[in-house]
Amino acid sequence: MAEQTITAERESSLIEAVPKRLFINGEWVDAEGGATLEVLDPSTGRLLCTVADASEQDGWNALKAAEAAQPGLAAMAPRERANILMRAFELMHERKDDLALLMTLEMGKPLSDSYGEVTYAAEFFRHFAEEATRISGSYQTAPAGGARFLVAKQPVGPTILITPWNFPLAMGTRKLGPAIAAGCTSVLKPAELTPLSMLALADILHEAGLPAGAVNILVTSTAGKVMEPLIRSGIARKLSFTGSTGVGRKLLEQASERVLRTSMELGGNAGFVVFEDADVDAAVAGALLAKMRNTGEACTAANRIFVHRSVIDEFASKLAAEMDKLPLGRGVEDGVRVGPLVDAKQLDKVDALVTDAVEGGAKVLIGGTPVDRDGYFYPPTVLTDIPSGARMRQEEIFGPVAPLTPFDTEEEVISWINDTEYGLVNYVYTESLRRGIRVAEAVESGMVGLNQGAVSNPAAPFGGIKESGLGREGGDTGIEEFLETKYIGIAM
Ligand code: NAP
């Protein structure tokens, strides 16, 4: 539910107030030569504002600032770093109305989703504030005696962080939280489509007391040109990326030149399985969450829904009825649950995937064609009888489209689930604990939702296997990605 009244004046005064320059070395600066890029409102296609568009030189300035600030942040008392994160957590809550509205305006998601993301995003700061003071090592006698092993943890050094447009705030805090907690400075590049949330966050971090240069925000319309030399320079010792598998692969190649530590949170192709013994109503509620959160634009979105043949008709009609009820509109409007897709490219992609499936024989229960109005709207869509060769069996849909396929046996559905290069998350609905555990162990993914349609939690390790990525964010492993292990052998 919206927690504020939105008027056109409120929208424009918020956009007016947000910083629109680059944040480098603790200061707001214009891009070299004054270049700017446009930020659009996906619900109308209209211009929201322009923002400084960083050049290669701006990129170098940001990385040099991170390099210069590194020794100071590493030497800062862990409790002090924790206090900065905790203060930023509190400021995010104090400013949740602004942050949520800003995110809805630049990305399109319904305001209720944006409030959820602000809370989720802030939680990474609290979680890693608590972790900052628990970084520890070990001391041990060598097995053969005669020496001692001292094992310490140290920050990896300056980092490059790159985030996508679908969770403009949380994908940033999920990296910045552990980086700051571990004592690593950073250059963060948000997506060109949604830079405003991260710029607003820079203000918060500054106010929370983060030293100059510890976090630098670069917005650019030429990501490859600006980021590649920085990655290849070796000045940063770590690259943490969230985005598509295609770009991730390219960045891994660049990072290999100077052997950077890498974390890759990449694409997903989540399977959602409903067994014949499942609570069908609970499965429908879970599918609604796993499919419609963020208007389907999530790496964790249920992309392939497999339902046992004996319950598929009941499941399909209940899911279609629930999805059909969701109000569609501008995310700022009261009660809206389905916002626009982020841009025309995303809308065309969803439309092409649905057309391909329907031409191959899929049946449309609801939706199935773009909404005829300004902005980039695609309606909630439920498809059945998905042909096995349909592109959407292999490609991320990233939209409010639920494709249903019947299955007969556990063995068959596990093989279908695993028939993808992705391995981020899968969802399993069954009332049998034994079957649930068996299937959860057999599916190839970094995460499994067992009788639940959402798995993201800052205190749990988030990440994928196969081509969905490397490393984990959140949980107690998230901070390890930003720490090196140093072993000191001591002669006795
Ligand atoms: P994307 O096209 O890969 O872009 C992600 C980020 O990389 C953006 O900031 C983008 O900048 C930047 N980028 C693109 N090309 C680059 C290059 N050559 N060098 C350096 N940076 C470059 O992905 P997206 O479309 O924004 O996001 C959707 C994807 O993210 C989906 O595949 C989704 O599954 C994945 N995702 C994964 C997770 C996860 O945790 N596993 C979470 C959320 C999203 P510009 O946009 O400014 O060009």
Side-chain angles (χ1 to χ4, degrees), residues 93-172:
H93 277 279
E94 280 169 27
R95 296 186 196 161
K96 67 180 193 307
D97 288 345
D98 286 358
L99 290 171
L101 178 55
L102 202 54
M103 203 185 313
T104 290
L105 290 174
E106 68 174 347
M107 189 273 170
K109 68 180 75 182
L111 209 46
S112 53
D113 277 352
S114 294
Y115 274 107
E117 182 173 342
V118 174
T119 305
Y120 175 55
E123 211 53 49
F124 283 105
F125 281 175
R126 178 158 67 173
H127 176 76
F128 285 106
E130 289 161 351
E131 291 293 302
T133 56
R134 316 246 184 283
I135 298 167
S136 64
S138 63
Y139 180 78
Q140 157 189 358
T141 301
R148 301 291 181 269
F149 301 164
L150 186 60
V151 178
K153 299 282 180 178
Q154 292 183 316
V156 297
T159 62
I160 294 176
L161 315 175
I162 301 178
T163 57
W165 49 263
N166 62 340
F167 293 102
L169 203 54
M171 298 301 96

Side-chain angles (χ1 to χ4, degrees), residues 68-371:
Q70 178 57 48
L73 192 67
M76 186 185 273
R79 172 75 68 206
E80 222 179 306
R81 296 199 298 262
N83 288 344
I84 292 169
L85 284 172
M86 203 53 108
R87 179 77 189 119
F89 163 81
E90 286 158 3
L91 285 170
M92 286 179 77
H93 277 279
E94 280 169 27
R95 296 186 196 161
K96 67 180 193 307
D97 288 345
D98 286 358
L99 290 171
L101 178 55
L102 202 54
M103 203 185 313
T104 290
L105 290 174
E106 68 174 347
M107 189 273 170
K109 68 180 75 182
L111 209 46
S112 53
D113 277 352
S114 294
Y115 274 107
E117 182 173 342
V118 174
T119 305
Y120 175 55
E123 211 53 49
F124 283 105
F125 281 175
R126 178 158 67 173
H127 176 76
F128 285 106
E130 289 161 351
E131 291 293 302
T133 56
R134 316 246 184 283
I135 298 167
S136 64
S138 63
Y139 180 78
Q140 157 189 358
T141 301
R148 301 291 181 269
F149 301 164
L150 186 60
V151 178
K153 299 282 180 178
Q154 292 183 316
V156 297
T159 62
I160 294 176
L161 315 175
I162 301 178
T163 57
W165 49 263
N166 62 340
F167 293 102
L169 203 54
M171 298 301 96
T173 58
R174 198 161 79 172
K175 298 184 189 306
L176 288 171
I180 294 168
C184 298
T185 62
S186 54
V187 174
L188 186 146
K189 194 206 84 59
E192 176 190 356
L193 292 174
T194 57
L196 303 179
S197 300
M198 217 21 73
L199 293 172
L201 187 75
D203 235 2
I204 286 176
L205 285 169
H206 187 58
E207 212 174 308
L210 196 69
V215 169
N216 304 276
I217 310 285
L218 272 187
V219 179
T220 178
S221 63
T222 50
K225 225 167 96 192
V226 172
M227 301 311 288
E228 182 170 352
L230 307 188
I231 295 167
R232 289 191 188 275
S233 73
I235 294 174
R237 293 310 315 158
K238 156 114 196 152
L239 168 66
S240 177
F241 171 74
T242 300
S244 61
T245 297
V247 173
R249 207 176 271 125
K250 204 186 290 184
L251 297 182
L252 275 172
E253 185 271 318
Q254 294 171 14
S256 72
E257 184 167 330
R258 302 300 296 265
V259 196
L260 302 195
R261 289 270 300 262
T262 54
S263 300
M264 294 277 144
E265 295 289 346
L266 308 178
N269 188 10
F272 188 104
V273 190
V274 184
F275 282 99
E276 64 274 30
D277 62 356
D279 174 336
V280 172
D281 291 333
V284 167
L288 203 62
L289 187 61
K291 182 71 258 178
M292 295 306 295
R293 176 168 168 249
N294 226 37
T295 313
E297 294 174 307
C299 51
T300 51
N303 215 46
R304 301 168 298 150
I305 303 179
F306 301 113
V307 188
H308 193 268
R309 197 175 298 281
S310 62
V311 291
I312 193 165
D313 290 344
E314 179 190 356
F315 181 89
S317 63
K318 286 182 168 169
L319 182 66
E322 289 301 318
M323 282 176 60
D324 213 21
K325 272 195 258 173
L326 300 176
L328 174 146
R330 284 194 78 214
V332 296
E333 288 161 14
D334 226 7
V336 159
R337 292 282 310 282
V338 185
L341 298 179
V342 78
D343 63 6
K345 201 167 122 210
Q346 195 58 34
L347 179 63
D348 291 347
K349 184 187 159 203
V350 171
D351 191 30
L353 288 176
V354 172
T355 304
D356 165 76
V358 171
E359 283 175 0
K363 290 201 189 85
V364 181
L365 293 193
I366 56 165
T369 46
V371 181

Side-chain angles (χ1 to χ4, degrees), residues 308-458:
H308 193 268
R309 197 175 298 281
S310 62
V311 291
I312 193 165
D313 290 344
E314 179 190 356
F315 181 89
S317 63
K318 286 182 168 169
L319 182 66
E322 289 301 318
M323 282 176 60
D324 213 21
K325 272 195 258 173
L326 300 176
L328 174 146
R330 284 194 78 214
V332 296
E333 288 161 14
D334 226 7
V336 159
R337 292 282 310 282
V338 185
L341 298 179
V342 78
D343 63 6
K345 201 167 122 210
Q346 195 58 34
L347 179 63
D348 291 347
K349 184 187 159 203
V350 171
D351 191 30
L353 288 176
V354 172
T355 304
D356 165 76
V358 171
E359 283 175 0
K363 290 201 189 85
V364 181
L365 293 193
I366 56 165
T369 46
V371 181
D372 184 17
R373 60 176 278 174
D374 283 349
Y376 313 114
F377 289 90
Y378 201 88
T381 295
V382 178
L383 304 176
T384 59
D385 300 341
I386 310 299
S388 59
R391 282 173 53 198
M392 66 172 62
R393 284 284 284 262
Q394 294 297 333
E395 294 179 37
E396 276 188 296
I397 300 172
F398 246 56
V401 178
L404 310 188
T405 303
F407 72 90
D408 293 300
T409 67
E410 186 179 311
E411 203 181 19
E412 170 184 62
V413 80
I414 290 171
S415 76
W416 289 351
I417 293 264
N418 291 339
D419 180 25
T420 168
E421 75 264 27
Y422 294 110
L424 188 61
V425 61
N426 287 296
Y427 305 90
V428 180
Y429 274 77
T430 172
E431 290 294 285
S432 158
L433 180 61
R434 204 172 275 172
R435 169 183 266 163
I437 300 282
R438 193 167 61 226
V439 176
E441 287 182 358
V443 295
E444 295 167 353
S445 54
M447 302 175 289
V448 176
L450 189 48
N451 293 322
Q452 61 179 37
V455 291
S456 306
N457 189 309

